Amino acid sequence: MAILVTGGAGYIGSHTVKYLQERDEEIVVVDNLKNGHREALDGVKLYPIDLRNQEVLDRVFKEHSISSVIHFAANSLVGESMEHPFEYYHNNLYGTMNLLKAMKENGTCKIVFSSTAAVYGEPEETPITENCGTDPTNPYGETKLAMEKMMKWFDQAYGIRYVSLRYFNAAGAHYTGLIGEAHDPETHLIPLILQVPSGKREKIFIFGDNYDTNDGTCIRDYIHVMDLASAHGKALDYLRKGNSSNIFNLGNGRGYSVMEVIEKARKVTEHPIPAEVEKRRAGDPAVLVASSEKAKKILDWEPRYEDLQMIIEDAWRWHRNHPKGY
Ligand code: UDP
C-alpha cells in the first residue's frame, strides 16, 4: 500500500516526502516538474506527469496500490494568479477533479490537502482561527478554496475523507541542507533576503513601511517546512484512524514584521543586508497570524521550530550551499 504524493518534487512536497521516508512509508510521486525538481527526491518512484492527464494518472493508481493521497500539485503564486487566472483554474481545479475521479474509481478514500491562509483574504480577526470567514482576494486563494469545497462534496457523495491544511508562511529547509526552497522566479521574503549574502542581489526591497503595525512593515507567521511536513504525517494518521474530514491552520502563532525578519537574517548570516523601502505590494494584508490550537489539540501536532532564528539558520544552510538552487 503506497501513499501518492502529487507535487512531491516541489518545496513543501519534497520535504514531506523526506519526512515520510524517515517514517518508512511507501511513497509514489507524481509531479509535472514545472516548478518541482527531480533532484529534490532520493530513492522514491517519480512519475513526471501532469494531473490533467487522466489516462496516465489512472495507470499510476492501477500500478500501485494507492491507499491515500497527499495533494500538493498546484500553481501557487499570488501575483502570477492575478495575471493568469485561466492557468490557475485549469491546473488547480481540473487537476484536482481528475485526481478525485481517479481516487473514486480506484477506491482510495483518504486525502491530505495542501491549502493556504490565502483562503481567508483580509482577516476578520487575529490570530486567525478556522472559523474565520473565507473571502480570497486573488485567484490562487480562490482556487484553493474551491478545491477544498470540491473535497467536501466528494466526501459527502463518495466517502473520500480529507484533511485540509491551511499553511501560513512556509520557510526553512531540511536540517541536512540537501533540499530546500528553489523557485524561479523567487518571490518569497526569506529566500530573497538570503540572496543578498549569497551575492545574487545587492539589497532587499521592503514593500511598504506605512502599515498599521509596530514598525510599519507587514507581519507574517513563519512556519518551518519540516513542521509542515510533520503535520501532513499527523493528518494521515488522523485519517487512518477513521476520523472525519477536517480543516486545520498551520502556523507558529507568532508574527514577525518584515524589518524583524531582515534583522534576524543579518544576525544569522553576519552580513549587513542593505534594505530599501518600496511602495506597497498590491493585496498584502497588514497582519496574518495563525491560531493553530485546533491542529495541536486534534492532530496532536506541535511545531518544533518556534524560533524564527532557527528557521532562517536552516534556510541559510541550504541557500549558502546552493546559491543557484538545484
Ligand atoms: N516582502 C517584502 N519584500 C520582498 C518580498 C516580500 O517586503 O521582496 C513582504 C511582503 O510584502 C509580505 C511579506 O514580505 O508582507 C511576506 O511575503 P511573501 O511573499 O514571502 O509571503 P506572503 O505573505 O505574500 O505569502
Side-chain angles (χ1 to χ4, degrees):
M1 299 292 267
I3 302 165
L4 175 68
V5 183
T6 77
Y11 172 42
I12 306 171
S14 61
H15 285 77
T16 301
V17 167
K18 192 134 192 101
Y19 174 85
L20 295 173
Q21 284 177 306
E22 285 162 8
R23 254 176 54 160
D24 278 336
E25 301 270 10
E26 195 187 330
I27 302 151
V28 178
V29 169
V30 160
D31 196 302
N32 67 7
L33 297 179
K34 225 177 123 211
N35 298 308
H37 305 272
R38 204 181 274 278
E39 303 88 332
L41 297 170
D42 185 18
V44 57
K45 176 82 187 160
L46 165 69
Y47 289 90
I49 60 156
D50 196 294
L51 290 186
R52 287 170 286 190
N53 188 338
Q54 179 77 61
E55 219 178 278
V56 189
L57 182 63
D58 201 56
R59 226 177 296 144
V60 175
F61 271 83
K62 297 265 177 316
E63 256 168 54
H64 300 271
S65 180
I66 303 294
S67 58
S68 41
V69 173
I70 304 186
H71 181 30
F72 294 100
N75 289 12
S76 61
L77 296 177
V78 170
E80 187 186 66
S81 79
M82 300 287 279
E83 282 172 40
H84 305 287
F86 172 81
E87 179 57 22
Y88 274 67
Y89 275 84
H90 197 256
N91 187 28
N92 295 2
L93 292 186
Y94 186 42
T96 302
M97 266 166 69
N98 273 349
L99 177 67
L100 291 173
K101 181 166 182 268
M103 289 178 68
K104 169 181 168 280
E105 286 171 2
N106 291 280
T108 306
C109 62
K110 295 184 277 298
I111 179 164
V112 178
F113 175 55
S114 160
S115 188
T116 167
V119 298
Y120 295 111
E122 279 288 341
E124 291 166 350
E125 58 186 48
T126 293
I128 301 172
T129 68
E130 294 79 356
N131 294 329
C132 284
T134 49
D135 189 10
T137 51
N138 52 66
Y140 165 59
E142 202 75 75
T143 55
K144 285 277 176 170
L145 187 58
M147 288 149 92
E148 283 189 358
K149 296 240 168 98
M150 212 189 278
M151 286 176 209
K152 175 180 132 184
W153 298 115
F154 272 65
D155 181 8
Q156 200 151 310
Y158 313 121
I160 296 177
R161 287 172 302 119
Y162 70 94
V163 166
S164 181
L165 300 174
R166 294 175 175 170
Y167 323 144
F168 282 64
N169 289 60
H174 193 260
Y175 70 92
T176 55
L178 293 174
I179 57 172
E181 193 168 6
H183 298 118
D184 189 17
E186 188 50 77
T187 63
H188 294 115
L189 180 64
I190 292 179
L192 283 174
I193 292 174
L194 295 176
Q195 283 183 357
V196 182
S198 305
K200 281 181 77 182
R201 70 171 51 231
E202 274 175 23
K203 58 187 165 198
I204 182 77
F205 290 104
I206 298 172
F207 296 151
D209 68 348
N210 54 358
Y211 285 93
D212 186 15
T213 60
N214 274 352
D215 62 21
T217 63
C218 286
I219 292 179
R220 294 290 180 271
D221 182 340
Y222 296 88
I223 178 83
H224 197 290
V225 65
M226 289 311 293
D227 281 331
L228 293 181
S230 72
H232 290 77
K234 294 276 186 184
L236 206 54
D237 297 341
Y238 169 90
L239 289 174
R240 281 171 173 163
K241 283 184 202 141
N243 290 303
S244 51
S245 296
N246 219 330
I247 295 178
F248 301 96
N249 286 343
L250 297 178
N252 265 313
R254 153 130 209 226
Y256 290 90
S257 72
V258 173
M259 300 262 211
E260 285 172 329
V261 177
I262 296 170
E263 206 42 59
K264 283 268 184 224
R266 287 178 177 140
K267 195 168 159 204
V268 169
T269 61
E270 296 176 342
H271 186 286
I273 311 184
E276 188 179 313
V277 177
E278 259 255 3
K279 62 180 189 334
R280 289 181 176 199
R281 187 172 68 176
D284 268 341
V287 181
L288 286 178
V289 177
S291 161
S292 304
E293 293 313 307
K294 187 177 167 192
K296 287 181 184 169
K297 201 165 141 213
I298 297 178
L299 294 181
D300 187 30
W301 171 76
E302 199 62 54
R304 290 178 53 208
Y305 302 85
E306 280 173 286
D307 183 0
L308 180 65
Q309 180 152 334
M310 290 162 77
I311 297 178
I312 296 180
E313 276 166 6
D314 281 353
W316 179 228
R317 192 173 305 117
W318 155 257
H319 286 288
R320 195 180 44 205
N321 295 332
H322 301 84
K324 294 194 178 122
Y326 285 97

